[in-house]
C-alpha cells in the first residue's frame, strides 16, 4: 500500500494503519491484474498520478522501462506486441503524456499490433466541468479516435475487468491499440483486499483460433488450381500469425513464387529460390491469381490497381478482418480466419498435386530476378569504391556483418535509408525486421529497438536515416541506462532525403541537418564510432555487436546521395513549385 492510499483510507486515523493489511488500493490492483495476465514489461514515463504504480510494478517483478518521451515508450509497447503476440503495455501520465503516447497507439492500430496504453488522468468532476484541473483533458473522448477501442475505469473494483477487457480487445480479431483510462482517484481508491483479489482474473485463450468455412477454402483451392501465373504476397500479418512452418510448406509444395512485404521478410529466408522480391514489378503485373496472406491492398500494394497489377488478376485474401475484403478490389475468394487456421485448413483439403505453379512462370520470374540481381551487383560494386561513402557502400558492409548474426533484430526507418536497407539487407529469420510500416512513420527507431532488446535479449541493429533517428534520439540515454545490446547505425547524409539542398536565404534549407551522432551516445556512457568508409563501417559494427553494449555508428554519407522521399517521390503534390526530378 502506498503512503498516499493509507492516508486516503482513514484520513490519518490510527485504525487505517492497523487495518492496512486487509486493504488494497487501485495501484496494487493494477499491478496484480497485470501480473495475473503474465505481463513482463511496461514501457512508460512517470509522473502524477502513476509514479507509485511504476515503482510498485518494478518491485513486484514487472520490468519497467523508463523512457524520455512517451511516443517512444508507446512505439516500444507496439513492437513488443508484434514480437510476442501479446499486447505490449505503455504507461503514461495525464493530458500531455497521454497525448505523446497516442501517436504510438494510433500507429500500433494502423499496423495491427496489439498494445494497451494505460494512462492516469485527472479528477473527473473537475475535468468534466472544465474547471481547470492539473493536466485537464477528457482523454477517453480523444483516444476513441485513435485506438481500436477506448475504455475508462471508474471504480477500483472494475480494474481487473478493465484490464482483461483491454487485453482481450487488443489481441483478438485484428490486433490493435487499446486505450485504458484510470483516473487518479481510482488509483488511490482503497478497498477490502479480499474483495479486490476476487475482482481480478486472467484472460483465458487471449487469441482464440478463428477457422474459415470449408467451402471458402475449397473456393480458394479451386482458383489456385487453375492459375497460370499464381503469386503469394506475404504481409506482416503473416509474420504476426506465427504460421511459419505451414506457410513455408504450402509455398514449397505448390511451387508458387512469393513476394514478401517488408516486415514479412525472413518468414522464408530472403535467398529462397521461390522469392520473387527482386522481380516484384513483373510478378505483380503478370500474376493471374494472387493469394494475399496478412497483407492489405493499400498504398503499399498500389491498391491492387493496374498498371502495377494485371487488371484481370483474381484475388484470394486471407485475413482475420472480414471487412478488409473488397476494400480495394473484388476478392474472388475471401478466407476469413486466423492465418494459422486457414493454412491448416488448406493443408487438410488440398489434394496432392492439385496446385502446381507452371514451370514457365517460375522461369520467367527467375530470369528477371537474375537480371535485376546482376544490375544491382554493378550498382553495389560502384558504390563500394565511391568516396565520400554512398548509402550502398555502407549498407553492403552492414549486410555482411548482419549476415553473420541471423539472431540480430533489424530496425529500420528513413526514406532512402529505409528503401535501400530493405533491398540490401537480407533477412533469414521470421519477425526480425521492424520498420516504419503502414504509415511510413518516422520516430519508431529507438522505441522499436528498445522493445526488441528487452523482449528478446538478442542484439539489435537499428539502421536509421539521420532525420529519422532524430525523432527518438534521446532514447540513446534509455538504451545506455538499461545497458541494452542496441547498435544504432546512422546513415548520415546531413539531411532529410539529401544534405545538399541549396537554401534561398541565410537560414539552412528546410531539408538540411548537421550532427555528430556518435558524440551524443558518449554523453550517456555508450560507445560512439565514426565511419567514413565501408571498411570502417564493417569494423565498427563488428566490434559493437560483439561488445553487446550500447553503441552508435555515425556513417558519413555523401550529402548528394539520396532522392527526394526515396521510392515514393511521386506522392509529393505536383504544383507550380514542384521540384523537378532532374534536379534531385
Ligand atoms: P503489410 O503492410 O505487410 O502488407 P498489412 O499491415 O497491410 O501488412 O496487413 C496485415 C493484415 O494482417 C491486416 O489486414 C490484419 O487484419 C491481418 N492479420 C493480422 N494478424 C492476423 C492473423 N493472425 N490472422 C489473419 N490475419 C491477420
Ligand atoms: C512522424 C516525413 C519521411 S522520411 C523523412 C521524413 C521527415 C526523413 C528522411 O530523411 P532521413 O533518411 O531519415 O535522413 P534519408 O536516408 O532519406 O536521408 N514526420 C513523421 N513521419 C514522416 N514520415 C515524416 C515526418 C518524412
Amino acid at each position: 500500500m502506498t503512503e498516499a492510499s493509507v492516508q486516503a483510507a482513514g484520513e490519518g486515523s490510527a485504525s487505517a494503519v492497523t487495518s492496512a493489511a486487509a486493504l488494497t488500493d487501485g495501484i496494487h490492483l493494477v499491478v496484480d491484474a497485470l501480473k495475473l495476465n503474465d505481463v513482463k514489461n511496461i514501457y512508460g514515463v512517470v509522473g502524477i498520478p502513476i509514479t507509485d504504480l511504476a515503482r510498485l510494478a518494478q518491485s513486484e517483478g514487472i520490468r519497467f522501462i523508463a523512457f524520455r518521451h512517451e511516443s517512444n515508450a508507446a512505439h516500444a509497447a507496439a513492437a513488443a506486441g508484434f514480437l510476442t503476440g501479446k499486447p505490449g503495455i505503455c504507461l503514461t501520465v495525464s493530458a500531455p503524456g497521454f497525448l505523446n503516447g497516442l501517436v504510438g497507439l494510433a500507429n500500433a492500430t494502423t499496423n495491427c499490433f496489439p498494445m494497451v496504453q494505460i494512462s492516469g488522468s485527472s479528477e473527473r468532476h473537475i475535468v468534466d466541468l472544465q474547471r481547470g484541473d492539473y493536466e485537464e483533458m477528457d482523454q477517453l473522448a480523444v483516444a476513441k479516435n485513435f485506438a481500436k477501442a477506448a475504455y475508462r475505469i471508474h471504480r477500483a473494483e472494475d480494474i481487473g475487468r478493465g484490464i482483461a477487457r483491454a487485453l482481450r480487445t487488443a489481441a483478438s480479431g485484428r490486433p490493435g491499440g487499446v486505450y485504458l483510462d484510470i483516473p487518479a482517484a481510482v488509483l488511490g481508491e482503497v478497498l477490502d483486499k479480499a474483495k479486490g483479489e476476487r475482482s481480478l482474473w486472467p484472460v483465458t485463450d487471449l487469441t482464440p483460433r478463428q477457422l474459415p468455412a470449408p467451402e471458402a477454402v475449397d473456393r480458394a483451392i479451386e482458383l489456385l488450381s487453375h492459375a497460370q501465373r499464381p503469386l503469394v504476397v506475404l504481409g506482416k500479418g503473416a509474420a504476426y500469425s506465427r504460421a511459419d512452418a505451414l506457410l513455408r510448406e504450402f509455398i514449397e509444395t505448390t511451387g508458387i513464387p512469393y513476394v514478401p512485404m517488408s516486415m514479412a521478410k525472413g518468414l522464408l529466408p530472403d535467398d529462397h529460390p521461390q522469392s520473387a522480391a527482386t522481380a516484384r514489378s513483373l510478378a505483380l503485373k503478370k500474376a493471374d491469381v494472387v493469394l494475399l496472406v496478412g497483407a492489405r491492398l493499400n498504398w503499399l500494394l498500389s491498391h491492387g490497381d493496374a498498371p502495377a497489377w494485371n487488371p484481370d488478376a483474381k484475388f484470394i485474401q486471407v485475413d482475420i478482418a472480414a471487412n478488409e475484403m473488397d476494400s480495394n478490389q473484388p476478392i474472388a475468394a475471401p478466407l476469413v480466419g486466423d492465418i494459422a487456421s486457414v493454412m491448416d485448413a488448406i493443408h487438410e483439403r488440398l489434394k496432392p498435386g492439385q496446385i502446381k505453379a507452371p514451370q514457365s512462370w517460375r522461369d520467367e520470374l527467375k530470369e528477371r530476378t537474375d537480371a535485376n540481381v546482376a544490375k544491382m551487383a554493378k550498382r553495389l560494386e560502384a558504390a563500394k569504391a565511391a568516396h565520400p561513402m554512398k548509402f550502398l557502400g555502407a549498407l553492403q558492409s552492414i549486410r555482411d556483418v548482419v549476415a553473420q548474426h541471423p539472431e540480430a533484430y533489424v530496425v529500420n526507418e528513413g526514406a532512402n535509408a529505409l528503401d535501400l536497407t530493405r533491398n540490401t539487407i537480407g533477412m533469414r529469420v521470421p519477425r526480425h525486421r521492424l520498420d516504419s510500416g503502414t504509415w511510413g512513420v518516422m520516430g519508431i527507431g529507438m522505441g522499436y529497438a528498445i522493445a526488441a532488446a528487452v523482449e528478446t535479449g538478442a542484439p539489435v541493429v537499428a539502421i536509421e536515416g539521420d532525420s529519422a533517428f532524430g525523432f527518438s534520439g534521446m532514447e540513446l540515454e534509455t538504451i545506455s541506462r538499461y545497458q541494452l545490446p542496441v547498435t544504432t547505425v546512422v546513415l548520415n547524409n546531413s539531411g532529410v532525403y539529401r544534405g545538399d539542398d541549396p537554401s534561398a536565404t541565410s537560414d539552412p534549407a528546410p531539408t538540411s541537418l548537421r550532427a555528430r551522432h556518435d558524440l551524443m551516445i558518449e554523453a550517456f556512457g555508450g560507445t560512439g564510432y565514426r565511419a567514413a568508409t565501408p571498411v570502417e563501417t564493417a569494423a565498427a559494427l563488428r566490434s559493437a555487436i560483439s561488445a553487446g553494449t550500447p553503441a552508435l555508428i555515425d556513417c558519413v554519407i555523401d550529402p548528394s546521395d539520396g532522392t527526394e522521399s526515396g521510392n515514393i517521390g511521386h506522392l509529393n503534390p505536383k504544383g507550380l513549385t514542384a521540384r523537378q526530378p532532374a534536379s534531385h
Side-chain angles (χ1 to χ4, degrees):
M1 170 154 309
T2 62
E3 205 178 305
S5 55
V6 171
Q7 274 175 16
E11 293 295 306
S13 73
S15 65
V17 177
T18 48
S19 63
L23 295 176
T24 187
D25 64 9
I27 286 176
H28 281 79
L29 289 172
V30 171
V31 172
D32 291 347
L34 293 175
K35 278 177 68 181
L36 203 56
N37 281 286
D38 211 24
V39 168
K40 301 268 188 284
N41 302 301
I42 298 177
Y43 303 90
V45 177
V46 297
I48 296 171
I50 51 128
T51 316
D52 273 347
L53 173 46
R55 287 195 185 107
L56 184 70
Q58 189 180 54
S59 64
E60 288 286 311
I62 298 179
R63 197 164 188 207
F64 186 85
I65 307 295
F67 277 70
R68 291 309 198 100
H69 191 285
E70 293 87 350
S71 75
N72 305 319
H75 286 316
F82 174 75
L83 290 170
T84 65
K86 294 178 64 186
I89 307 292
C90 171
L91 186 63
T92 58
V93 303
S94 326
F98 152 77
L99 280 175
N100 284 343
L102 213 48
V103 69
L105 189 73
N107 185 57
T109 307
T110 301
N111 283 283
C112 313
F113 300 159
M115 71 168 279
V116 176
Q117 180 181 349
I118 300 176
S119 189
S121 59
S122 299
E123 299 299 338
R124 295 255 36 94
H125 61 280
I126 302 181
V127 173
D128 287 351
L129 279 173
Q130 296 182 22
R131 292 168 58 199
D133 203 359
Y134 166 70
E135 297 192 341
E136 175 177 294
M137 176 175 282
D138 184 0
Q139 297 168 197
L140 182 66
V142 174
K144 278 185 176 151
N145 295 308
F146 300 98
K148 180 178 177 186
Y151 307 119
R152 178 183 288 143
I153 297 172
H154 283 268
R155 309 178 299 179
E157 68 192 71
D158 289 330
I159 284 172
R161 179 175 287 115
I163 286 178
R165 186 138 172 67
L167 294 172
R168 169 72 77 194
T169 305
S172 59
R174 170 181 278 175
V178 171
Y179 175 64
L180 185 62
D181 192 279
I182 315 185
V186 177
L187 291 172
E189 189 184 329
V190 172
L191 72 165
D192 177 71
K193 196 161 193 269
K195 184 181 171 192
E197 273 167 13
R198 279 196 306 276
S199 72
L200 310 180
W201 69 84
V203 173
T204 304
D205 193 10
L206 185 65
T207 49
R209 294 187 66 190
Q210 298 191 30
L211 278 63
E215 63 273 20
V217 177
D218 291 345
R219 192 187 290 124
I221 291 176
E222 173 69 12
L223 252 179
L224 276 169
S225 68
H226 293 115
Q228 292 309 302
R229 294 180 304 282
L231 180 71
V232 173
V233 177
L234 298 173
K236 56 173 131 41
Y240 179 77
S241 75
R242 288 156 176 77
D244 310 348
L246 281 166
L247 284 166
R248 185 168 185 158
E249 189 187 337
F250 174 79
I251 287 173
E252 290 182 344
T253 54
T254 59
I256 304 181
Y258 73 94
V259 169
M261 301 300 286
S262 67
M263 282 181 60
K265 276 163 68 78
L267 203 42
L268 282 80
D270 272 345
D271 55 3
H272 193 282
Q274 283 170 256
S275 169
T278 320
R280 190 179 193 266
S281 2
L282 182 70
L284 269 50
K285 211 182 273 296
K286 294 195 96 175
D288 62 349
V289 178
V290 181
L291 174 65
L292 299 161
V293 186
R296 288 169 284 187
L297 280 178
N298 58 14
W299 70 280
L300 287 159
L301 283 171
S302 309
H303 306 282
D305 285 335
W309 291 86
N310 170 4
D312 300 320
K314 300 244 177 305
F315 290 98
I316 302 166
Q317 185 157 26
V318 186
D319 206 292
I320 202 150
N323 68 350
E324 187 55 41
M325 308 297 148
D326 301 281
S327 55
N328 281 281
Q329 298 294 334
I331 300 302
L335 277 168
V336 177
D338 74 274
I339 289 164
S341 299
V342 171
M343 296 315 296
D344 231 359
I346 291 179
H347 181 70
E348 267 174 29
R349 302 185 73 80
L350 186 65
K351 299 183 192 82
Q354 198 179 357
I355 302 176
K356 211 74 206 157
Q359 192 60 43
S360 54
W361 170 232
R362 297 177 59 172
D363 290 346
E364 189 179 354
L365 291 172
K366 172 82 172 61
E367 215 172 283
R368 177 66 67 92
T369 298
D370 290 347
N372 285 348
V373 167
K375 247 191 258 170
M376 186 63 173
K378 275 196 193 139
R379 267 183 84 190
L380 289 170
E381 208 45 49
K384 207 179 229 169
H387 196 80
M389 184 160 60
K390 304 277 188 197
F391 280 106
L392 286 178
L395 281 167
Q396 285 175 82
S397 296
I398 299 167
R399 176 197 62 194
D400 295 344
V401 178
V402 168
Q404 289 158 4
H405 295 275
E407 79 286 8
Y409 283 80
V410 171
V411 172
N412 186 206
E413 59 178 337
N416 298 278
L418 179 76
D419 298 333
L420 296 169
T421 301
R422 185 180 52 235
N423 296 340
T424 312
I425 310 277
M427 303 304 301
R428 286 199 232 130
V429 186
R431 293 170 293 284
H432 274 53
R433 184 185 152 88
L434 298 160
D435 66 28
S436 299
T438 303
W439 263 348
V441 68
M442 298 300 112
I444 47 90
M446 298 301 101
Y448 281 13
I450 289 170
V454 167
E455 299 291 337
T456 73
V460 180
V461 179
I463 305 170
E464 302 273 310
D466 53 327
S467 162
F469 168 71
F471 287 74
S472 65
M474 190 61 195
E475 303 301 344
L476 284 180
E477 192 274 328
T478 309
I479 290 168
S480 304
R481 190 165 13 100
Y482 287 85
Q483 280 297 295
L484 299 173
V486 174
T487 303
T488 302
V489 181
V490 181
L491 298 174
N492 187 358
N493 66 345
S494 300
V496 177
Y497 314 137
R498 309 171 44 123
D500 64 349
D501 259 2
S503 167
T505 72
S506 57
D507 278 341
T511 53
S512 169
L513 299 168
R514 291 284 174 274
R516 283 281 304 270
H517 306 96
D518 50 321
L519 300 180
M520 284 175 67
I521 196 164
E522 300 214 327
F524 308 126
T527 310
Y529 301 85
R530 195 154 196 251
T533 65
V535 171
E536 286 172 13
T537 304
L541 186 56
R542 233 178 268 121
S543 127
I545 295 181
S546 62
T549 49
L552 185 144
I553 305 167
D554 204 34
C555 290
V556 188
I557 304 287
D558 185 346
S560 72
D561 199 17
T563 54
E564 178 104 351
S565 304
N567 278 354
I568 54 173
H570 60 280
L571 297 179
N572 284 303
K574 294 170 189 60
L576 292 173
T577 57
R579 184 175 291 278
Q580 296 307 307
S583 68
H584 266 191

